[in-house]
Amino acid sequence: MSDKFCVMLTCAKNDTDKSTVAFVIANAALGSEKDTTVFLSTEGVQLSQKGYSDDIHEEGFLPLKELMDNFAEAGGSILVCAPCFRKRGLDEDNLVDGARIVGGAVLVELLSDGTPCVSY
């Protein structure tokens, strides 16, 4: 069984329910002692920016900012799709804690060893 886990997130404010649940699952994976990565692509890259998630709070869940902060503080990794990031003209100097911009080859390498991945 793999000691890694990946959550692919393609949503942000366009689907706050999926954005929130993705980080709930990512935190649960960390709590299960999995080396956990969230890969942000397409619209999900918006979440890489400080302040963007501050007003997202789905009923029944912790606020998304708190979920993201908890994830980073617990050692989770947030990978941000470079082409998606550039397409949206986002600020590299405004990344949330734990985030880094990467190319698709990093995701391929991560998943090529059989690491399980769920998508939201």
Side-chain angles (χ1 to χ4, degrees):
M1 183 148 81
S2 178
D3 63 341
K4 298 181 200 172
F5 193 79
C6 178
V7 176
M8 169 80 70
L9 179 55
T10 62
C11 304
K13 288 184 178 176
N14 60 319
D15 192 331
T16 57
D17 191 30
K18 285 184 179 180
S19 299
T20 299
V21 171
F23 274 94
V24 168
I25 297 302
N27 278 295
L30 279 176
S32 297
E33 300 182 3
K34 298 293 183 184
D35 178 10
T36 307
T37 300
V38 172
F39 189 86
L40 302 176
S41 68
T42 59
E43 193 61 19
V45 299
Q46 300 284 359
L47 293 169
S48 72
Q49 300 291 274
K50 290 179 184 171
Y52 183 86
S53 67
D54 290 359
D55 62 347
I56 300 173
H57 188 184
E58 286 290 318
E59 185 178 339
F61 298 97
L62 291 174
L64 182 54
K65 180 184 183 330
E66 190 173 338
L67 291 167
M68 292 177 68
D69 288 346
N70 291 347
F71 181 74
E73 288 169 13
S77 174
I78 300 172
L79 302 180
V80 184
C81 172
C84 301
F85 188 88
R86 284 193 300 271
K87 175 183 177 181
R88 288 160 179 81
L90 301 176
D91 184 358
E92 289 186 44
D93 295 323
N94 194 37
L95 292 175
V96 296
D97 291 341
R100 67 184 174 105
I101 300 168
V102 299
V106 173
L107 179 64
V108 171
E109 184 177 331
L110 172 69
L111 299 180
S112 66
D113 67 357
T115 297
C117 186
V118 295
S119 298
Y120 292 93

